[in-house]
Amino acid sequence: MPEPDPQIVVTLLWVCLGLLVLLLVLAVAILRSLGRIGRRETPVPLTPDLAESALPAVETSPGGAFEAFLEEDPSRRDLTKGEQFKAYRKWRQEKGLNWSNS
């Protein structure tokens, strides 16, 4: 087998090194772009105000259906908001207060 020319081997190694550096620069550029996009988007904060606004004002007003639901069983007030809403939906279904009875 003939001996490879050392000049060709060195040239190929430099070409490979150059391509690796180019890939590294591209990867850094992509990560920076993704970081800028991520910082630009503002997440919606999850506050208790959002949980309370899940029900219409008519149902949360004094004497509304939600108040009647809570007064029926005082232990329901101790539940988390999510559990209250789930039980309230079930209660409305049982009472026939929903538009569809499915």
Side-chain angles (χ1 to χ4, degrees):
M1 181 172 246
E3 189 72 27
D5 186 16
Q7 185 69 20
I8 293 175
V9 173
V10 170
T11 304
L12 289 175
L13 286 175
W14 279 109
V15 168
C16 289
L17 182 65
L19 289 174
L20 286 174
V21 169
L22 180 65
L23 285 174
L24 179 66
V25 168
L26 288 173
V28 169
I30 290 171
L31 288 175
R32 287 183 65 207
S33 297
L34 287 175
R36 279 195 304 266
I37 291 171
R39 284 189 301 271
R40 234 185 286 163
E41 291 187 12
T42 55
V44 176
L46 297 176
T47 61
D49 297 336
L50 292 177
E52 290 175 3
S53 67
L55 294 175
V58 172
E59 295 186 4
T60 58
S61 63
F66 189 67
E67 283 299 318
F69 161 74
L70 291 176
E71 288 172 3
E72 234 180 56
D73 184 2
S75 67
R76 292 175 179 159
R77 291 190 188 274
D78 298 333
L79 298 173
T80 64
K81 289 292 183 187
E83 291 170 339
Q84 281 181 354
F85 293 149
K86 184 177 179 181
Y88 177 63
R89 286 190 297 271
K90 185 177 178 182
W91 179 81
R92 282 184 60 89
Q93 183 71 32
E94 291 169 357
K95 298 284 185 182
L97 298 175
N98 292 344
W99 284 92
S100 66
N101 289 329
S102 56

